[in-house]
């Protein structure tokens, strides 16, 4: 029985993690859950999975929840301290970081310090603090198991080939809903159009990131952090049907890819059952129904989110944190109707242009970068 804590249990990855747990009775036990404020759903999850503790970031919602579940032997925690306790204090063997944004940095670090393995979905933490997290995880003997489908594919393509040198990582991208749109057409994109992803059903923030290609930019940096490769070794390949989830090209020219349906429950479960592939709730791919597997090249002239990410990781230091923090602000501003679709990458570009790089930033410095960018963006674009 593997003990699991889920940070962000009410979201897209969080609920699919609980689907995986539900589908394999006796294999997993949920020891802790956490969310920002959706206590109606969290209460249902607590009643079903009976964790030892649950945390709600919003303190009023936490107080409300505590009243609602007072008939159960569950500790209700609140705020950042609560998220940290869920990661470090529960008896979890592995923490699924299904929270969105840099808010996940401190809880993830706490989990690593407590020796918990990490099923890493929260890519913003890996992008901005990966230079701290990865070495610390190695020192602590903590496994970082990627949940992002592309990184799970790469991780699988690397398994058992320790002495082979990676030539390139081939990171696949669906291209999002505007893959074939002209630049001019993107000016008037609505939030609703940007939220209609062709192949994946995901949370709102990452769906917008997929439409701008910033998600792929974050994933390039995530791949550099997780697999210790240079940005020149990561090539983004368009694969509109999301059947090939990514691949590794070895120095002899062999390409090892991982394929499957676009169902996040597969990479989530693999992070929990690694190194074993066990029966899962996902429908397997039907090869008689596949008409084609298209391959293409990303349009970097239209979607600046990707080239800006390469620039951020090449400049290094705090620049990936600048790229990510500017995007977190701009993505939310677009979703709230405050800026246009194309403004998202403009904000990132301008923020990077005026930023100074701090070498090897600490976690406090990374979070200070975010605070400063939020403050300045409110004044400049708000
Ligand atoms: P989501 O918006 O659906 O869910 C986010 C979860 O985080 C919710 O449970 C929410 O309550 C919680 N949360 C947000 N802010 C919080 C706070 N301050 N305190 C506590 N909890 C908080 O997001 P998602 O799509 O599930 O994505 C989660 C992470 O996984 C993101 O980093 C995303 O990039 C990554 N990811 C998602 C997918 C996907 O298919 N959804 C695929 C790959 C990677
Ligand atoms: Mg992905």
């Amino acid at each position: 029985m593997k003990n699991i804590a889920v940070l962000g249990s009410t979201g897209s990855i969080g609920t699919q993690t609980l689907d995986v747990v539900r589908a394999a009775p006796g294999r997993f036990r949920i020891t802790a859950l956490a969310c920002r404020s959706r206590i109606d759903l969290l209460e249902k999850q607590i009643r079903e999975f009976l964790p030892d503790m649950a945390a709600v970031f919003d303190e009023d919602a936490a107080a409300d929840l505590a009243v609602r579940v007072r008939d159960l032997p569950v500790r209700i925690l609140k705020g950042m301290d609560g998220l940290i306790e869920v990661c470090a204090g529960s008896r979890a063997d592995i923490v699924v970081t299904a929270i969105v944004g840099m808010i996940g940095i401190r809880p993830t670090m706490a989990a690593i310090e407590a020796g918990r393995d990490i099923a890493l979905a929260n890519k913003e933490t890996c992008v901005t603090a990966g230079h701290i997290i990865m070495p610390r995880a190695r020192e602590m003997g903590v496994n970082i198991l990627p949940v992002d489908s592309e990184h799970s594919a790469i991780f699988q393509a690397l398994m058992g080939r320790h002495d082979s040198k990676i030539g390139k990582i081939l990171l696949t991208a669906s291209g999002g809903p505007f893959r074939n749109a002209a630049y001019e057409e993107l000016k008037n994109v609505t939030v609703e159009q940007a939220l209609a992803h062709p192949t994946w059903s995901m949370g709102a923030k990452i769906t917008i990131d997929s439409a701008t290609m910033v998600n792929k930019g974050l994933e390039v940096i995530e791949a550099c952090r997780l697999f210790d490769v240079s940005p020149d070794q990561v090539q983004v390949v368009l694969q509109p049907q999301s059947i090939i989830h990514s691949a590794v090209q070895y120095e002899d020219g062999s390409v090892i890819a991982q394929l499957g349906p676009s169902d996040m429950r597969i990479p989530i479960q693999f992070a929990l059952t690694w190194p074993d592939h066990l029966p899962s709730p996902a429908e397997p791919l039907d090869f008689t129904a596949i008409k084609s597997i298209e391959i293409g090249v990303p349009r970097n002239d239209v979607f600046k989110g990707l080239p800006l990410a390469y620039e951020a990781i090449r400049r290094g230091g705090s620049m990936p944190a600048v790229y990510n923090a500017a995007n977190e602000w701009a993505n939310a501003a677009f979703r709230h109707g405050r800026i246009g679709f194309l403004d998202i990458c403009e904000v990132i570009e301008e923020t990077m242009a005026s930023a100074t790089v701090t070498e090897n930033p600490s976690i406090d410095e990374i979070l200070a970068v975010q605070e400063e960018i939020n403050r300045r963006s409110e004044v400049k674009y708000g």
Side-chain angles (χ1 to χ4, degrees):
M1 207 55 145
K2 192 171 251 181
N3 289 328
I4 300 174
V6 187
L7 186 66
S9 64
T10 57
S12 162
I13 294 291
T15 52
Q16 292 182 86
T17 301
L18 296 178
D19 276 351
V20 165
V21 169
R22 207 177 271 125
R27 193 185 291 161
F28 309 110
R29 193 178 104 75
I30 297 292
T31 60
L33 297 170
C35 77
R36 183 175 47 202
S37 56
R38 270 182 78 186
I39 55 169
D40 285 348
L41 180 54
L42 186 61
E43 181 185 348
K44 283 195 188 122
Q45 294 176 342
I46 291 171
R47 293 194 180 279
E48 179 178 359
F49 293 98
L50 300 172
D52 305 326
M53 59 174 84
V56 184
F57 187 73
D58 181 294
E59 306 208 349
D60 293 338
D64 200 354
L65 180 69
V67 175
R68 294 198 201 181
V69 297
R70 67 188 155 199
D71 57 313
L72 297 174
V74 53
R75 275 171 69 205
I76 301 298
L77 310 160
K78 61 182 189 218
M80 178 52 77
D81 290 347
L83 304 187
I84 288 174
E85 181 66 6
V86 156
C87 289
S90 83
R91 286 173 298 143
D93 301 305
I94 186 163
V95 177
V96 181
T97 61
I99 192 167
V100 58
M102 290 167 75
I103 188 91
I105 296 177
R106 286 201 196 283
T108 305
M109 263 321 275
I112 293 170
E113 293 299 340
R116 317 277 183 244
D117 284 345
I118 307 288
L120 188 139
N122 178 218
K123 65 186 83 182
E124 296 89 350
T125 285
C126 182
V127 165
T128 57
H131 62 291
I132 299 169
I133 281 167
M134 295 306 292
R136 189 64 186 140
R138 266 192 298 277
E139 279 168 15
M140 292 297 298
V142 160
N143 294 302
I144 306 281
L145 298 150
V147 166
D148 214 347
S149 57
E150 296 78 0
H151 304 76
S152 175
I154 297 159
F155 185 80
Q156 292 175 58
L158 291 169
M159 274 169 68
R161 298 184 179 82
H162 299 297
D163 295 331
S164 312
K165 269 212 180 135
I166 301 174
K168 255 185 203 166
I169 282 176
L170 302 170
L171 185 74
T172 54
S174 73
F178 311 124
R179 180 167 51 92
N180 298 317
Y183 187 80
E184 286 301 306
E185 291 173 55
L186 297 179
K187 279 191 182 147
N188 299 317
V189 159
T190 63
V191 176
E192 200 184 12
Q193 288 167 329
L195 283 175
H197 195 277
T199 53
W200 295 99
S201 158
M202 309 179 285
K205 191 258 177 185
I206 185 176
T207 305
I208 301 299
D209 285 348
S210 300
T212 57
M213 292 293 279
V214 169
N215 181 50
K216 217 40 63 176
L218 293 171
E219 291 185 356
V220 167
I221 303 174
E222 185 183 9
C224 293
R225 304 285 204 213
L226 288 174
F227 306 116
D228 203 17
V229 292
S230 75
D232 297 333
Q233 285 176 287
V234 184
Q235 180 182 342
V236 175
V237 176
L238 282 193
Q239 208 293 283
Q241 297 84 12
S242 303
I243 293 171
I244 304 177
H245 295 306
S246 280
V248 175
Q249 188 167 50
Y250 286 94
E251 284 197 319
D252 62 357
S254 273
V255 176
I256 310 284
Q258 187 257 354
L259 282 66
S262 359
D263 188 327
M264 284 307 295
R265 292 175 303 181
I266 297 176
I268 292 168
Q269 176 170 303
F270 187 65
L272 300 175
T273 62
W274 167 80
D276 301 317
H277 290 274
L278 300 179
S280 94
E283 269 306 305
L285 207 53
D286 175 4
F287 274 79
T288 62
I290 298 174
K291 294 192 183 61
S292 70
I293 298 184
E294 263 175 273
I295 298 288
V297 177
R299 295 189 301 152
N300 287 351
D301 51 332
V302 177
F303 297 99
K304 285 192 284 185
L306 189 51
L308 284 169
Y310 276 96
E311 186 190 329
I313 182 74
R314 286 195 178 108
R315 289 177 66 187
S318 54
M319 202 47 98
V322 171
Y323 173 86
N324 180 76
N327 178 59
E328 282 193 32
W329 186 88
N331 179 309
F334 170 69
R335 276 183 284 138
H336 295 129
R338 298 170 66 194
I339 64 171
F341 181 75
L342 288 173
D343 296 334
I344 299 174
C345 288
E346 291 296 325
V347 170
I348 300 173
E349 189 168 22
E350 287 176 16
T351 309
M352 282 173 62
S354 61
T356 45
V357 176
T358 307
E359 291 308 329
N360 206 12
S362 66
I363 284 175
D364 285 345
E365 285 170 326
I366 294 163
L367 294 172
V369 162
Q370 182 181 34
E371 226 170 86
E372 175 70 6
I373 286 174
N374 285 346
R375 201 181 52 74
R376 281 213 225 161
S377 303
E378 283 302 323
V379 174
K380 197 164 170 194
Y381 312 103

